[in-house]
Amino acid sequence: MHELAVCESILQQVLVVAAAHSGSEISRIKLRIGPLSGVEPALVKRAFPVVASGTACENAELCIDDIVVTVFCRACGLTSETPPNRLVCAGCGTWRVTLMSGDEMRLESFDLLESNKMELEDV
Amino acid sequence: MCEVCGCAGGTDHFHVIPAETMTDPGCAGTPPLAPPARGGARAVAREGMSIDVNQALLVANDHVAAHNRAHFDAAGVFVVNLMSSPGSGKTRLLEETIKALGDVLSFGVIEGDLETENDARRIRAAGAPAVQITTGNACHLNAEMVHAALHELDLASIDVLFIENVGNLVCPACFDLGQHRNVVLLAVTEGDDKPEKYPVMFRKADLVLLTKLDLLDAVGDFDPAAARRHVVDLGNDTPVFEVSARSGAGLAAWSAWLASAVGARRHVAASSRMHGHAHEHIPHG
């Protein structure tokens, strides 16, 4: 259950960045987590409230977009969608492919509820 | 030498590990990872403000891993992250490797287990220094644990450092430790479709070792060619060696791979010294 460690990392990053802005509460956190990242989005969503309890993130909604695995074929040039455990070109079947999407594990952005509008507009 | 943490990684790195979490007293005073610039903020109607971050989820771990790698590179050590299921023969392989190559290469081992010093004792008995990390209930090693452990080793006297990760084909795949190569073991007793079941781990392998080859006939239904095919189907054409630590079969190919990697690492280390090496930094401030 390494998702707990991932959630702690997300929480720390958000709190550190939020501290540089004025705002009291984080309402939403946007993540990109691909099927080949090794992180399970459903488990992150379940674990995050435990980790975030008592912090400015405790009511934050986690938004994790569905990401598909796509590969670029270095042999025939086709970009195709594949299952996570079979990274071969859908056109010619070769394994000589480059992963284009599917291993993302990124904190994209978060929404901070305003506590001082004037100061925020100054950013 | 770094004046902040006392490590040999040079003076131009910064420190991400909170001082209170450090187990190495020589490495105190590590400031936290600084936030990105404030320019990423933009207004969102009614929702407040959206702030772009766009960082890796494990940015703090990645930063410590880069720091570890700088230590390893400065000392010219080739570092392997050894991963597999529990019981696939990682420690046994290391024992035989140390015994077979101990005259030509010097080894060090960082052992990761939930409990016990057993594996570290076995490595020491085989003739190499070993540091045991006991993770409690943690299912993987992280860069911070490895950083604490590496300061207990004399890196300057080591050619190859093995980090034997916690036996687990899932969690360790996510955490960079500062290694140069990932070696993943798959015992013939496990089933040849493991790469298909655990694609994240096997996609990251720089070398796959099919271990316990001496049991192949007894198992009966493990097809090494199928295991190879499943690795290739992950877009990974990395070498797959068949080995038996018990019989010694295949250990020559594994030894040659290690010797070649050590040679390449020494070459990189020498070039880095010539060019005033500095390790990569996470942008901050």
Side-chain angles (χ1 to χ4, degrees), chain B residues 111-196:
Chain B
E111 285 283 352
D113 279 301
L114 271 60
E115 296 291 350
T116 82
E117 279 260 330
N118 295 356
D119 285 358
R121 278 196 212 105
R122 286 171 59 184
I123 296 297
R124 288 179 201 126
V131 179
Q132 179 80 47
I133 300 172
T134 47
T135 62
N137 284 316
C139 47
H140 59 273
L141 293 180
N142 64 33
E144 221 172 276
M145 297 174 189
V146 169
H147 181 255
L150 72 85
H151 279 298
E152 293 184 34
L153 290 164
D154 177 17
L155 292 181
S157 66
I158 293 174
D159 295 315
V160 181
L161 175 66
F162 290 111
I163 302 171
E164 185 183 329
N165 218 312
V166 177
N168 179 342
L169 279 176
V170 183
C171 311
C174 292
F175 294 83
D176 185 7
L177 306 177
Q179 75 275 12
H180 299 109
R181 292 288 183 271
N182 293 321
V183 174
V184 180
L185 276 62
L186 168 55
V188 300
T189 49
E190 294 182 58
D192 51 35
D193 59 349
K194 275 278 169 77
E196 197 180 13

